[in-house]
Amino acid sequence: MIVALAPFALVLAPRDNASVIVFAADGRAAATAIAHAGGTVLARFSSFGFVARAESPGFATRLYLAGALLVLDGAGRGGCLASTGRS
Protein backbone atom coordinates (compact mmCIF):
# COMPACT_ATOMS: atom_id res chain seq x y z
CA MET A 1 0.00 0.00 0.00
CA ILE A 2 2.81 2.42 0.83
CA VAL A 3 4.33 1.86 -2.61
CA ALA A 4 0.99 2.72 -4.21
CA LEU A 5 0.85 6.03 -2.32
CA ALA A 6 4.44 7.05 -3.12
CA PRO A 7 3.56 8.99 -6.32
CA PHE A 8 0.95 11.02 -4.43
CA ALA A 9 3.43 11.76 -1.65
CA LEU A 10 5.91 13.15 -4.17
CA VAL A 11 3.32 15.40 -5.79
CA LEU A 12 1.81 16.60 -2.51
CA ALA A 13 5.10 16.99 -0.60
CA PRO A 14 5.61 20.60 0.44
CA ARG A 15 8.49 22.57 -1.07
CA ASP A 16 10.45 25.35 0.59
CA ASN A 17 9.10 28.87 -0.01
CA ALA A 18 5.70 27.54 -1.07
CA SER A 19 2.25 27.72 0.46
CA VAL A 20 1.32 24.63 2.45
CA ILE A 21 -1.88 23.22 3.85
CA VAL A 22 -1.47 22.39 7.53
CA PHE A 23 -3.78 19.97 9.33
CA ALA A 24 -3.86 19.24 13.06
CA ALA A 25 -6.30 17.84 15.60
CA ASP A 26 -8.30 21.09 15.37
CA GLY A 27 -7.96 24.61 14.03
CA ARG A 28 -6.37 25.95 17.20
CA ALA A 29 -3.67 23.26 17.14
CA ALA A 30 -2.97 23.98 13.46
CA ALA A 31 -2.67 27.73 14.10
CA THR A 32 -0.38 27.09 17.07
CA ALA A 33 1.87 24.81 15.00
CA ILE A 34 2.11 27.48 12.29
CA ALA A 35 3.01 30.17 14.82
CA HIS A 36 5.63 27.98 16.53
CA ALA A 37 7.13 27.04 13.15
CA GLY A 38 7.54 30.71 12.20
CA GLY A 39 4.89 30.79 9.50
CA THR A 40 2.04 33.06 8.52
CA VAL A 41 -1.57 31.97 8.10
CA LEU A 42 -2.87 32.90 4.64
CA ALA A 43 -6.38 31.43 4.86
CA ARG A 44 -8.50 28.91 6.69
CA PHE A 45 -8.71 25.63 4.76
CA SER A 46 -11.14 23.65 6.93
CA SER A 47 -12.09 23.30 10.56
CA PHE A 48 -8.85 21.35 11.02
CA GLY A 49 -6.40 23.35 8.96
CA PHE A 50 -5.02 26.44 7.34
CA VAL A 51 -3.06 27.50 4.30
CA ALA A 52 0.22 28.93 5.52
CA ARG A 53 3.61 30.09 4.30
CA ALA A 54 7.08 30.77 5.64
CA GLU A 55 10.04 32.21 3.79
CA SER A 56 12.72 30.20 5.60
CA PRO A 57 13.64 26.65 4.52
CA GLY A 58 12.48 23.67 6.55
CA PHE A 59 9.00 25.00 7.31
CA ALA A 60 7.29 21.62 6.84
CA THR A 61 9.71 19.93 9.22
CA ARG A 62 9.19 22.65 11.83
CA LEU A 63 5.42 22.27 11.45
CA TYR A 64 5.59 18.55 12.21
CA LEU A 65 7.84 19.21 15.20
CA ALA A 66 5.30 21.80 16.42
CA GLY A 67 2.40 19.32 16.28
CA ALA A 68 1.01 19.36 12.75
CA LEU A 69 -0.47 16.00 11.74
CA LEU A 70 -0.26 16.52 7.97
CA VAL A 71 1.46 19.11 5.78
CA LEU A 72 0.66 19.20 2.06
CA ASP A 73 1.81 21.38 -0.81
CA GLY A 74 -0.68 24.25 -1.13
CA ALA A 75 -0.13 24.53 -4.90
CA GLY A 76 -0.86 28.26 -4.83
CA ARG A 77 -4.18 27.90 -3.00
CA GLY A 78 -3.11 30.38 -0.34
CA GLY A 79 -2.93 33.24 -2.80
CA CYS A 80 -6.28 32.39 -4.34
CA LEU A 81 -8.06 31.94 -1.03
CA ALA A 82 -6.49 35.00 0.51
CA SER A 83 -7.49 37.22 -2.40
CA THR A 84 -11.10 36.05 -2.47
CA GLY A 85 -11.59 36.34 1.26
CA ARG A 86 -13.03 32.84 1.56
CA SER A 87 -12.53 31.05 4.85
Side-chain angles (χ1 to χ4, degrees):
M1 173 137 177
I2 292 174
V3 173
L5 296 176
F8 294 108
L10 290 174
V11 171
L12 298 176
R15 295 179 298 273
D16 284 336
N17 296 323
S19 298
V20 295
I21 302 171
V22 182
F23 293 100
D26 58 34
R28 179 176 289 169
T32 299
I34 293 165
H36 287 342
T40 302
V41 172
L42 300 177
R44 187 163 191 95
F45 188 76
S46 71
S47 58
F48 298 99
F50 292 93
V51 177
R53 182 177 178 92
E55 298 300 321
S56 58
F59 184 43
T61 300
R62 292 192 311 274
L63 285 165
Y64 283 119
L65 292 172
L69 298 177
L70 182 63
V71 180
L72 302 173
D73 183 2
R77 288 179 181 88
C80 295
L81 290 175
S83 64
T84 62
R86 292 183 182 173
S87 57

